[in-house]
Amino acid sequence: MNMGSQGFVYLTGAGPGDPKLITIRGLETIRLADVIIYDRLVSDELLKEARVDAALLYVGKASGHHSMNQDDINALIAEHAARGMTVTRLKGGDPFVFGRGGEEAAYLAERGIDFEIVPGISSCIAAPAYAGIPVTHRKVAASFAVITGHECVDKSGASVDWAWAAGAETLVVLMGLQQLPRIVERLLAHGKSPDTPIALIQSGSREEQRVVVGTLQGIEDEPETARLASPVAIVIGPVVSLRQQLAWRETMAAMGV
């Protein structure tokens, strides 16, 4: 602890869910911290790596329920750093991919608080990979796009350009389960084929991972869709069809590995 001097903040990505997928640097920042301010999707196994004297502060958010709003989270991080502490702000995925890490970094910069960004593996690539779906493939898709299912209702914020999204070769939607009907409707309205393959990946990379595959037009009618719960990554595009050959995790499970 750096009492008596300015503290330091690590904005750390914890990865997609499996604790083994955190980076070496990310693990170091957990072990260095006086205070860990963590989100809902951070694995308990990672928190066990904290020092015994470290303070663990939960600020998680779920759809429709936030334990603390973003302004208060920003202030909480800065408050502990101003007291000379080493603070690790631990976020699921990557802090700069729909994680509000940019907002938190700007808040710290405006107050002269030093920080380091520690990237994490985002679920936008990890969840498809664990489902046997490559987001790009030389013969199928040369590019991919990522959007959030939580469209910003504040007029000052960004919103999804659905015409652009519908044209993506591979489209990944994070935090989109609750908005699935709207996502399907918007994409169909902007010319996406109703036969486009789609995969819904619950808890990608975790032991409880589940995958539901269908077509854009029919995915809402799949019986398994109604049984899914957040977090869910949605993958839309021809690459989904490659899962039939590349579902490595199911293959390993069948082998008892």
Side-chain angles (χ1 to χ4, degrees):
M1 187 162 53
N2 289 317
M3 296 304 292
S5 63
Q6 179 73 290
F8 193 89
V9 177
Y10 297 102
L11 299 175
T12 299
D18 183 340
K20 294 179 181 178
L21 295 180
I22 194 170
T23 64
I24 293 173
R25 183 55 174 161
L27 192 57
E28 288 175 346
T29 69
I30 293 173
R31 293 168 175 168
L32 287 169
D34 300 310
V35 180
I36 297 176
I37 300 173
Y38 68 100
D39 284 345
R40 180 174 69 96
L41 299 179
V42 170
S43 169
D44 290 341
E45 292 301 310
L46 291 179
L47 297 177
K48 291 177 182 178
E49 296 292 331
R51 298 195 330 243
V52 294
D53 62 339
L56 305 180
L57 307 179
Y58 175 72
V59 294
K61 301 174 184 177
S63 181
H65 176 71
H66 293 181
S67 61
M68 184 178 290
N69 67 44
Q70 189 61 49
D71 288 343
D72 289 341
I73 292 172
N74 294 347
L76 182 67
I77 298 169
E79 173 190 341
H80 286 285
R83 292 169 55 194
M85 295 184 174
T86 297
V87 180
T88 293
R89 173 70 172 106
L90 194 59
K91 297 170 168 289
D94 181 273
F96 277 10
V97 180
F98 303 127
R100 297 199 173 184
E103 297 175 40
E104 293 171 358
Y107 187 92
L108 297 172
E110 290 165 2
R111 286 154 182 78
I113 298 173
D114 293 328
F115 59 88
E116 176 183 331
I117 307 299
V118 182
I121 299 174
S122 171
S123 60
C124 72
I125 55 173
Y130 266 65
I133 301 170
V135 292
T136 63
H137 187 286
R138 193 160 56 96
K139 296 182 179 180
V140 182
S143 64
F144 73 101
V146 186
I147 64 173
T148 172
H150 292 319
E151 286 197 48
C152 185
V153 295
D154 184 343
K155 292 182 179 179
S156 65
S159 61
V160 174
D161 180 341
W162 288 104
W164 166 83
E169 293 178 286
T170 301
L171 180 65
V172 180
V173 187
L174 301 182
M175 302 173 287
L177 182 62
Q178 302 302 319
Q179 296 298 321
L180 182 61
R182 173 173 169 77
I183 291 166
V184 170
E185 184 271 326
R186 290 285 81 202
L187 291 174
L188 292 175
H190 285 86
K192 203 75 171 174
S193 170
D195 296 324
T196 302
I198 178 173
L200 310 179
I201 308 163
Q202 174 186 299
S203 301
S205 83
R206 294 175 180 265
E207 290 185 4
E208 61 269 28
Q209 175 179 301
R210 297 173 62 192
V211 183
V212 178
V213 175
T215 64
L216 191 61
Q217 182 74 65
I219 192 64
E220 294 175 72
D221 298 324
E222 292 287 341
E224 289 298 312
T225 297
R227 299 186 181 97
L228 295 178
S230 296
V232 169
I234 304 171
V235 187
I236 303 165
V239 292
V240 172
S241 299
L242 296 172
R243 171 173 159 77
Q244 296 177 14
Q245 181 183 14
L246 305 180
W248 61 273
R249 204 170 190 206
E250 287 78 357
T251 299
M252 292 180 66
M255 295 170 59
V257 179

